[in-house]
Coordinates of all heavy atoms in Angstrom, one line a residue:
L67 N 109.6 106.4 84.7 CA 110.2 106.7 83.4 C 110.1 105.4 82.5 O 109.7 105.6 81.3 CB 111.6 107.1 83.5 CG 111.9 108.5 84.2 CD1 113.4 108.7 84.4 CD2 111.2 109.6 83.5
L71 N 108.0 105.1 79.0 CA 108.6 104.8 77.7 C 108.0 103.5 77.2 O 107.8 103.4 76.0 CB 110.1 104.6 78.0 CG 110.9 105.9 78.3 CD1 112.3 105.6 78.7 CD2 110.8 106.9 77.2
V75 N 105.6 106.8 75.1 CA 105.9 108.2 75.2 C 107.2 108.5 74.4 O 108.2 108.0 74.7 CB 106.0 108.7 76.6 CG1 106.5 110.2 76.7 CG2 104.6 108.6 77.3
G76 N 107.1 109.4 73.4 CA 108.2 109.8 72.6 C 108.3 111.3 72.5 O 109.2 111.8 71.8
C77 N 107.3 112.0 73.1 CA 107.3 113.4 73.0 C 106.6 114.0 74.2 O 105.6 113.5 74.7 CB 106.5 113.9 71.7 SG 106.3 115.6 71.6
R93 N 111.6 115.2 84.6 CA 112.6 114.1 84.5 C 112.6 113.6 83.0 O 113.6 112.8 82.7 CB 112.1 112.9 85.4 CG 112.2 113.2 86.9 CD 113.5 112.7 87.6 NE 114.4 111.8 87.0 CZ 114.4 110.5 87.4 NH1 113.6 110.0 88.2 NH2 115.3 109.7 86.8
L94 N 111.7 113.9 82.2 CA 111.7 113.4 80.8 C 112.4 114.4 79.9 O 112.6 114.1 78.7 CB 110.3 113.2 80.3 CG 109.5 112.0 80.9 CD1 108.0 112.1 80.8 CD2 110.1 110.8 80.2
A95 N 112.9 115.5 80.4 CA 113.5 116.5 79.5 C 114.8 116.0 78.9 O 115.1 116.4 77.7 CB 113.8 117.8 80.3
E96 N 115.6 115.2 79.5 CA 116.9 114.7 79.0 C 116.9 113.2 78.7 O 118.0 112.6 78.5 CB 117.9 115.0 80.0 CG 118.1 116.5 80.4 CD 118.6 117.3 79.3 OE1 119.4 116.9 78.5 OE2 118.2 118.5 79.2
V97 N 115.7 112.6 78.5 CA 115.7 111.1 78.3 C 115.9 110.9 76.8 O 115.2 111.5 75.9 CB 114.3 110.6 78.7 CG1 114.2 109.1 78.3 CG2 114.2 110.7 80.2
P98 N 116.9 110.1 76.4 CA 117.2 109.8 75.0 C 115.9 109.2 74.4 O 115.3 108.3 75.0 CB 118.3 108.8 75.1 CG 119.0 109.0 76.4 CD 117.9 109.4 77.3
G99 N 115.6 109.6 73.2 CA 114.5 109.1 72.5 C 113.2 109.8 72.7 O 112.2 109.5 72.1
V100 N 113.2 110.8 73.6 CA 112.0 111.6 73.9 C 112.3 113.0 73.5 O 113.2 113.7 73.9 CB 111.7 111.6 75.4 CG1 110.5 112.5 75.7 CG2 111.4 110.2 75.9
D101 N 111.4 113.5 72.6 CA 111.5 114.9 72.2 C 110.8 115.8 73.2 O 109.6 115.5 73.5 CB 110.9 115.1 70.8 CG 111.6 114.4 69.7 OD1 112.8 114.2 69.8 OD2 111.0 114.1 68.7
Y102 N 111.5 116.7 73.8 CA 111.0 117.5 74.9 C 110.8 119.0 74.4 O 111.8 119.6 73.9 CB 111.9 117.5 76.1 CG 111.5 118.4 77.3 CD1 110.5 118.0 78.1 CD2 112.1 119.6 77.5 CE1 110.1 118.8 79.2 CE2 111.7 120.4 78.5 CZ 110.7 120.0 79.4 OH 110.3 120.8 80.4

Side-chain angles (χ1 to χ4, degrees):
L67 293 175
L71 293 174
V75 172
C77 176
R93 291 267 341 259
L94 286 161
E96 302 293 329
V97 172
V100 175
D101 294 335
Y102 175 81

